[in-house]
Amino acid sequence: MDGELPEPLVIAGRSFTSRLIVGTGKYDSYAQNAAAAEAAGAEIVTVAVRRVNLTDKSQPMLVDYLSPERFTFLPNTAGCYTGEDAVRTLRLAREAGGWNLVKLEVLSDPKTLYPDMIETLRALDMLIADGFEVMVYCSDDPVMARRAEEAGAAAIMPLGAPIGSGLGIQNPVNIRLIIEQAKVPVLIDAGVGTASDAAIAMELGCDAVLLNTAIAEAGDPIRMARAMKHAVIAGREAYLAGRMQKRRYADPSSPLAGLI
Amino acid sequence: MDGELPEPLVIAGRSFTSRLIVGTGKYDSYAQNAAAAEAAGAEIVTVAVRRVNLTDKSQPMLVDYLSPERFTFLPNTAGCYTGEDAVRTLRLAREAGGWNLVKLEVLSDPKTLYPDMIETLRALDMLIADGFEVMVYCSDDPVMARRAEEAGAAAIMPLGAPIGSGLGIQNPVNIRLIIEQAKVPVLIDAGVGTASDAAIAMELGCDAVLLNTAIAEAGDPIRMARAMKHAVIAGREAYLAGRMQKRRYADPSSPLAGLI
Amino acid sequence: MDGELPEPLVIAGRSFTSRLIVGTGKYDSYAQNAAAAEAAGAEIVTVAVRRVNLTDKSQPMLVDYLSPERFTFLPNTAGCYTGEDAVRTLRLAREAGGWNLVKLEVLSDPKTLYPDMIETLRALDMLIADGFEVMVYCSDDPVMARRAEEAGAAAIMPLGAPIGSGLGIQNPVNIRLIIEQAKVPVLIDAGVGTASDAAIAMELGCDAVLLNTAIAEAGDPIRMARAMKHAVIAGREAYLAGRMQKRRYADPSSPLAGLI
Amino acid sequence: MDGELPEPLVIAGRSFTSRLIVGTGKYDSYAQNAAAAEAAGAEIVTVAVRRVNLTDKSQPMLVDYLSPERFTFLPNTAGCYTGEDAVRTLRLAREAGGWNLVKLEVLSDPKTLYPDMIETLRALDMLIADGFEVMVYCSDDPVMARRAEEAGAAAIMPLGAPIGSGLGIQNPVNIRLIIEQAKVPVLIDAGVGTASDAAIAMELGCDAVLLNTAIAEAGDPIRMARAMKHAVIAGREAYLAGRMQKRRYADPSSPLAGLI
């Protein structure tokens, strides 16, 4: 049917129809957050365990607005700068909600929020030994992505650009190299600023897109959530359809050939 | 409601919900052409009067597959290199189908298929004097776009890149300047190669997108038509939502500031 | 020999070694202007006839700092919005300095400073009838560039981006199409912001580069003039040398082929 | 004076006037290689220890064409895939030529020739313990670059694009982040395809550029070497001069602001 994407996204044995994962914790309210997740058609939401209220019943709780029955909660380690911090955070999350599928991010510094891949790989080993299924936020270095996959990552999540930058995918060559070598799903995580950025990620062959700021900080977050839903479907369909060949107009024997 | 675009596209007093116009005449068959137009959710189809069978009832006719009741037919002057040719072609179309809303293109040469803007403006004057409502294929020069609007164009249709090139929008600065000065609708016509190109056009503030080769020459035209439908909605919604601000990470006092 | 460019640039029968033309009238002083022209290695300077003192001997005069014996003065029509204005301005210049080789620009509006190509072509006819040799500032529309050449332009000078924007060449496809069809020299005029922009223009096959703001508004104009001198040589040499082929790393059968 | 770059490049206490390092081993002959190094104005040449004849006096030797008195030889570990291989190779080089300043590259795979940063950092520790001064080929991940510097690297050499690709700098954000955090020189190593690519690297604030294929595989290598010499000077001068601010022409309140 129109707009339906036939192949499910499968991560760690779980199937999803939607290929757009959205965040929590940057919205004006949990109500707005829930409305955005609905408008995005998301089935998975990431949860910054350190920032979102998961346990204090005297305060508004995320689960009151986004039902864990309806959305797969994906706890993440935003704000963790060491492997130990990340492992501790995810153990707490598992105790709180029983979540075993998690997103690991071990950051290097608060300015760029880039992952420290050496700490990340160390934490990944610990988490896998502890029975977690781990989706891994990583740099766009294909070598590090391959190491993460070899260590047992359930999905590879390279950044397209710095978290919260909205700059779009900076290095499509690297993203494409990661996709071509990966046997687990590859998701763009970080850097998407507007709808076309999400479409481009999917056209490159990514299996899904994770974004947060692009929706939360849009002028109208609900409308942007809807835009992103369509953008991900558009990019996925275009990828599967197979785009037309580009035609070049400069004389092929010119010094410009291959340039434009 | 989800995916609905509240404001209609209004061209020459006619309202449309869809903001994607597709072509005819490059498909394997009229049946495929019709299926693609359906999948694209198009309400307007351009018709190359010189290439499509509009009158010979002994042969398969476009109107048997794409009903003029359901689709607004937009006759165009593809293949015309002089103003006189273009005017003659559109008069024939009006006689054949009663179509008064037309798309004017006067080409300069068969290699680039770029419009000859001086001939185009001359033909535009003739057509308006003759009572046509004219959508004008034009270069992305804002000065020429303004002249076309001042001469009475019903819509401005700058090329994003050469017809059939699939190169995407080459000069977003010019497209944006055209949009900011125009009081009639601005449609990107030519250059879209894949879904993200269409999304980018809409994010720039275009009122609609016209494309042909990107669907007709895709590996799976029907699927690509669907991709384009979603891409146009995605770009429109993102434009209306208002994107997040980009954040820059380089030291703002560095020589790089403003570069990345 | 090192850094020497063997083939001269020939415009209207005059030969030049340097392929960098610089402006006048945006500097702190004529002295700085002269020092920048020297550092740039320029042999031609454009002179905004309406802005530069060419006749009032009671005030500092440009010719006292930039000798017309050493530099070819190229009067231009900056600030002219009609063909008649432009023609009148250049006649005054010819009377003042005997300059017959001129640069025509007829602007459309003060915001973009884009050329009005219809007025430009009209003025070009008048100037040629009046015996001038005319270098023509034009849009990057190859069709208009061809018309200017057919009307007798001594050189074609498409804008790379709006005057004074420093945005770099926006549409290399168009610039390259102009170069491939032209039999007279093609110079990028407007849009160069830094050294690499000038190099890119020359790598595309331009015969020369004209710039003004990029030097005058640099932090250190003299140093930037020197940068531009080297950039133009670098780009010219690279063009003549013939660059290596780009290598692509993505699987050539992937949907990405041709994208990165 | 014209073209002179006042500040020397200082690496591990050694001063150089030229900021362009060229390779060896991809040329038709050692004679051509030497002519290209001369034309490039290089003072340092990298030497692939495993590919260049440094010891067999019965065969043509590199040192007969490129004098170690005139050029600083920088042995590199091209072709090494483990830390041990790299260390062994550089020890052999030190025995052969007394070279203590070396370039470390530990590759991950023969397709991309990307560095394996974990092996690279391990080899770096071994080399520093062994008394080498080590310039490090690395990914453009600022976190890994910082780790290399903290481990004692004498210079950081991020790739701009895959070795031999000629694609130009893919991720200027990362390169700039590396430059802003580094206290040792940063050199672009790999990815430069033509002159403007080298200029762009220097405009970003790189201290120097290392390239090989762009010269060796150019149509006219000697001319391209000259182009690169000028491009590096141009980019360096432009960086030091401080470029003009870019001006944007779209309405600053438009959704496009910040886009173009």
Side-chain angles (χ1 to χ4, degrees):
Chain A
M1 243 138 27
D2 184 19
E4 199 180 343
L5 296 173
E7 319 78 356
L9 167 67
V10 180
I11 302 175
R14 304 166 202 216
S15 285
F16 304 93
T17 302
S18 163
R19 290 174 179 271
L20 175 58
I21 301 176
V22 297
T24 56
K26 281 198 152 191
Y27 292 85
D28 291 344
S29 65
Y30 287 145
Q32 190 193 48
N33 197 332
E38 285 288 351
E43 294 169 347
I44 306 176
V45 294
T46 56
V47 179
V49 178
R50 295 185 159 202
R51 293 195 192 131
V52 162
N53 179 21
L54 293 172
T55 52
D56 178 359
K57 295 185 178 173
S58 70
Q59 299 291 325
M61 289 179 71
L62 182 64
V63 293
D64 297 335
Y65 293 84
L66 284 158
S67 158
E69 269 86 64
R70 181 180 170 113
F71 293 96
T72 295
F73 273 45
L74 182 67
N76 71 51
T77 58
C80 293
Y81 289 86
T82 69
E84 279 71 18
D85 259 12
V87 171
R88 194 177 316 121
T89 298
L90 291 174
R91 283 184 181 149
L92 285 172
R94 184 159 61 181
E95 284 161 28
W99 299 301
N100 203 54
L101 178 65
V102 296
K103 176 186 157 195
L104 171 65
E105 52 183 277
V106 186
L107 305 176
S108 63
D109 63 86
K111 178 186 172 193
T112 65
L113 302 178
Y114 274 10
D116 182 321
M117 286 310 300
I118 290 178
E119 275 296 286
T120 297
L121 291 170
R122 206 167 60 80
L124 176 59
D125 285 341
M126 292 189 273
L127 289 168
I128 286 173
D130 207 10
F132 284 99
E133 292 167 312
V134 190
M135 302 171 68
V136 181
Y137 169 62
C138 57
S139 72
D140 69 359
D141 177 351
V143 183
M144 290 298 168
R146 191 161 55 216
R147 281 186 177 260
E149 183 170 355
E150 289 168 355
I156 302 296
M157 309 182 79
L159 57 84
I163 290 177
S165 69
L167 291 172
I169 294 182
Q170 297 297 294
N171 193 334
V173 173
N174 275 5
I175 299 300
R176 183 63 204 172
L177 288 170
I178 290 172
I179 290 167
E180 292 190 4
Q181 79 188 0
K183 292 186 177 58
V184 295
V186 175
L187 298 83
I188 278 290
D189 178 2
V192 168
T194 190
S196 55
D197 297 336
I200 288 168
M202 298 305 293
E203 287 166 358
L204 283 167
C206 286
D207 294 282
V209 169
L210 187 158
L211 52 82
N212 192 17
T213 313
I215 292 178
E217 295 192 0
D220 177 345
I222 309 307
R223 193 179 270 273
M224 186 58 88
R226 219 153 56 210
M228 291 297 182
K229 173 186 166 182
H230 288 287
V232 167
I233 294 172
R236 180 67 179 172
E237 292 279 36
Y239 174 77
L240 294 174
R243 64 161 289 156
M244 65 177 284
Q245 290 298 305
K246 291 187 182 181
R247 281 202 195 81
R248 308 197 178 281
Y249 285 78
D251 174 356
S253 70
S254 83
L256 191 70
L259 282 190
I260 59 174
Chain B
M1 241 138 24
D2 183 20
E4 197 179 344
L5 294 175
E7 319 79 357
L9 168 67
V10 180
I11 302 175
R14 306 167 201 214
S15 285
F16 303 94
T17 302
S18 163
R19 290 173 178 271
L20 176 57
I21 300 176
V22 299
T24 55
K26 282 198 151 192
Y27 292 85
D28 292 344
S29 66
Y30 287 145
Q32 189 193 48
N33 197 334
E38 284 288 350
E43 295 168 349
I44 306 176
V45 295
T46 56
V47 179
V49 177
R50 298 187 158 201
R51 294 196 191 130
V52 163
N53 179 21
L54 293 172
T55 51
D56 180 357
K57 296 187 177 174
S58 71
Q59 299 292 322
M61 291 178 69
L62 182 65
V63 295
D64 298 334
Y65 293 84
L66 282 157
S67 158
E69 270 87 63
R70 179 180 170 111
F71 293 96
T72 296
F73 273 44
L74 182 69
N76 71 50
T77 58
C80 294
Y81 290 85
T82 69
E84 281 70 19
D85 259 12
V87 171
R88 194 178 317 121
T89 299
L90 291 174
R91 283 186 182 146
L92 286 172
R94 186 161 58 181
E95 284 162 27
W99 299 301
N100 203 55
L101 177 66
V102 297
K103 178 187 156 193
L104 171 65
E105 52 182 279
V106 186
L107 304 177
S108 62
D109 63 86
K111 177 186 173 193
T112 66
L113 301 178
Y114 275 9
D116 183 320
M117 285 312 299
I118 290 178
E119 276 297 286
T120 298
L121 290 170
R122 206 166 61 79
L124 175 59
D125 285 341
M126 292 190 272
L127 289 168
I128 285 174
D130 208 10
F132 284 98
E133 292 167 310
V134 191
M135 302 170 70
V136 181
Y137 168 62
C138 56
S139 73
D140 68 0
D141 177 351
V143 184
M144 291 298 168
R146 193 163 51 216
R147 280 186 177 262
E149 182 171 355
E150 287 167 357
I156 303 297
M157 308 181 80
L159 56 86
I163 291 177
S165 69
L167 291 173
I169 293 182
Q170 296 297 294
N171 194 335
V173 172
N174 274 4
I175 299 301
R176 182 63 204 173
L177 287 170
I178 289 171
I179 290 167
E180 292 190 4
Q181 80 188 359
K183 292 185 178 56
V184 297
V186 175
L187 297 83
I188 278 290
D189 178 4
V192 168
T194 190
S196 55
D197 296 336
I200 288 168
M202 298 304 292
E203 287 166 358
L204 283 167
C206 287
D207 294 283
V209 169
L210 188 157
L211 51 82
N212 194 16
T213 314
I215 292 178
E217 295 192 0
D220 177 344
I222 308 307
R223 191 179 272 273
M224 185 58 87
R226 216 154 56 212
M228 290 298 182
K229 172 186 166 182
H230 287 287
V232 167
I233 294 172
R236 180 67 178 170
E237 291 279 37
Y239 174 76
L240 294 173
R243 64 162 289 154
M244 65 176 286
Q245 290 299 304
K246 291 187 182 181
R247 281 203 194 80
R248 308 194 179 282
Y249 285 77
D251 174 356
S253 69
S254 83
L256 190 70
L259 284 189
I260 60 175
Chain C
M1 246 140 19
D2 183 20
E4 199 180 342
L5 296 173
E7 318 79 356
L9 167 67
V10 180
I11 302 174
R14 306 167 201 214
S15 285
F16 303 94
T17 303
S18 163
R19 289 173 180 270
L20 175 58
I21 301 176
V22 297
T24 56
K26 281 198 153 191
Y27 292 86
D28 292 344
S29 66
Y30 288 145
Q32 190 195 48
N33 196 333
E38 286 288 351
E43 293 168 348
I44 306 177
V45 294
T46 56
V47 178
V49 177
R50 297 185 158 202
R51 294 195 191 131
V52 162
N53 179 20
L54 293 171
T55 51
D56 178 358
K57 295 187 178 175
S58 71
Q59 297 292 324
M61 290 178 69
L62 182 66
V63 294
D64 297 335
Y65 293 84
L66 283 158
S67 159
E69 270 86 64
R70 180 180 171 113
F71 293 95
T72 295
F73 273 45
L74 182 69
N76 71 51
T77 59
C80 293
Y81 289 85
T82 70
E84 280 70 19
D85 259 12
V87 171
R88 193 177 319 121
T89 298
L90 292 173
R91 283 185 182 147
L92 285 173
R94 184 161 58 181
E95 284 161 29
W99 299 301
N100 204 54
L101 178 65
V102 297
K103 177 187 156 193
L104 171 65
E105 53 182 275
V106 186
L107 304 177
S108 63
D109 63 86
K111 179 186 171 192
T112 65
L113 303 178
Y114 275 10
D116 183 319
M117 286 311 299
I118 291 178
E119 275 298 285
T120 298
L121 291 170
R122 206 167 59 80
L124 176 59
D125 285 342
M126 292 190 271
L127 289 168
I128 286 173
D130 208 10
F132 284 98
E133 292 167 311
V134 190
M135 302 170 69
V136 181
Y137 168 62
C138 56
S139 74
D140 68 359
D141 178 351
V143 183
M144 291 297 168
R146 191 162 55 216
R147 281 186 177 260
E149 183 170 355
E150 287 167 357
I156 302 297
M157 309 182 78
L159 56 84
I163 292 178
S165 70
L167 291 173
I169 293 180
Q170 296 297 295
N171 194 333
V173 172
N174 274 5
I175 299 299
R176 183 63 203 173
L177 287 170
I178 290 171
I179 291 167
E180 291 190 4
Q181 80 189 358
K183 293 187 176 58
V184 296
V186 176
L187 298 82
I188 278 289
D189 178 3
V192 168
T194 190
S196 54
D197 296 336
I200 288 168
M202 298 304 293
E203 287 167 359
L204 283 167
C206 287
D207 294 282
V209 169
L210 188 157
L211 52 84
N212 193 16
T213 313
I215 293 178
E217 294 192 0
D220 178 345
I222 310 307
R223 192 179 271 272
M224 186 57 88
R226 217 154 56 212
M228 291 297 182
K229 173 186 165 180
H230 287 287
V232 167
I233 295 172
R236 180 68 179 171
E237 292 278 37
Y239 174 76
L240 295 173
R243 65 161 290 157
M244 65 177 284
Q245 291 299 303
K246 291 187 183 182
R247 281 203 194 80
R248 307 192 180 283
Y249 285 79
D251 174 357
S253 69
S254 82
L256 191 69
L259 283 190
I260 60 174
Chain D
M1 241 136 29
D2 184 20
E4 196 179 345
L5 295 174
E7 319 78 357
L9 168 67
V10 180
I11 301 174
R14 305 167 201 216
S15 286
F16 303 94
T17 302
S18 163
R19 289 173 179 271
L20 176 56
I21 301 177
V22 298
T24 56
K26 282 199 151 190
Y27 291 85
D28 292 344
S29 66
Y30 287 146
Q32 188 193 49
N33 197 334
E38 285 287 351
E43 295 167 348
I44 306 176
V45 294
T46 55
V47 179
V49 177
R50 297 187 159 200
R51 293 194 192 132
V52 162
N53 179 21
L54 293 171
T55 51
D56 178 358
K57 296 187 177 173
S58 71
Q59 298 292 324
M61 289 178 70
L62 181 65
V63 294
D64 297 336
Y65 293 84
L66 283 157
S67 159
E69 269 87 63
R70 181 181 169 113
F71 293 96
T72 295
F73 273 45
L74 182 68
N76 71 51
T77 58
C80 294
Y81 290 85
T82 68
E84 280 70 20
D85 259 13
V87 170
R88 194 178 317 119
T89 299
L90 291 174
R91 282 185 181 147
L92 285 172
R94 184 159 61 181
E95 283 162 26
W99 299 300
N100 203 55
L101 178 65
V102 296
K103 177 186 156 193
L104 171 65
E105 52 182 278
V106 186
L107 304 177
S108 63
D109 62 87
K111 177 186 173 195
T112 65
L113 302 179
Y114 274 10
D116 182 319
M117 286 310 300
I118 290 178
E119 275 297 286
T120 298
L121 290 170
R122 206 167 61 80
L124 176 60
D125 284 342
M126 291 190 273
L127 289 168
I128 285 173
D130 208 10
F132 284 98
E133 292 168 310
V134 189
M135 301 170 70
V136 181
Y137 168 62
C138 56
S139 72
D140 68 0
D141 177 351
V143 183
M144 290 298 169
R146 192 162 53 215
R147 280 187 177 260
E149 183 170 354
E150 287 167 357
I156 302 296
M157 309 182 79
L159 55 84
I163 291 177
S165 69
L167 291 173
I169 293 181
Q170 297 297 295
N171 194 334
V173 173
N174 274 4
I175 299 299
R176 182 64 204 173
L177 287 170
I178 290 171
I179 290 167
E180 291 190 4
Q181 79 189 359
K183 291 186 176 59
V184 297
V186 175
L187 298 82
I188 279 290
D189 178 4
V192 168
T194 188
S196 54
D197 295 337
I200 287 168
M202 298 303 291
E203 288 167 357
L204 283 168
C206 287
D207 294 282
V209 169
L210 188 158
L211 52 82
N212 193 17
T213 313
I215 292 179
E217 294 192 0
D220 177 344
I222 308 306
R223 192 179 271 272
M224 186 57 89
R226 219 154 54 212
M228 291 297 182
K229 173 187 165 181
H230 287 287
V232 167
I233 295 172
R236 180 68 179 170
E237 291 278 36
Y239 174 76
L240 294 174
R243 65 161 289 156
M244 66 177 286
Q245 289 299 304
K246 292 187 182 180
R247 281 203 194 79
R248 309 196 177 280
Y249 284 78
D251 174 356
S253 70
S254 83
L256 191 70
L259 283 191
I260 59 175

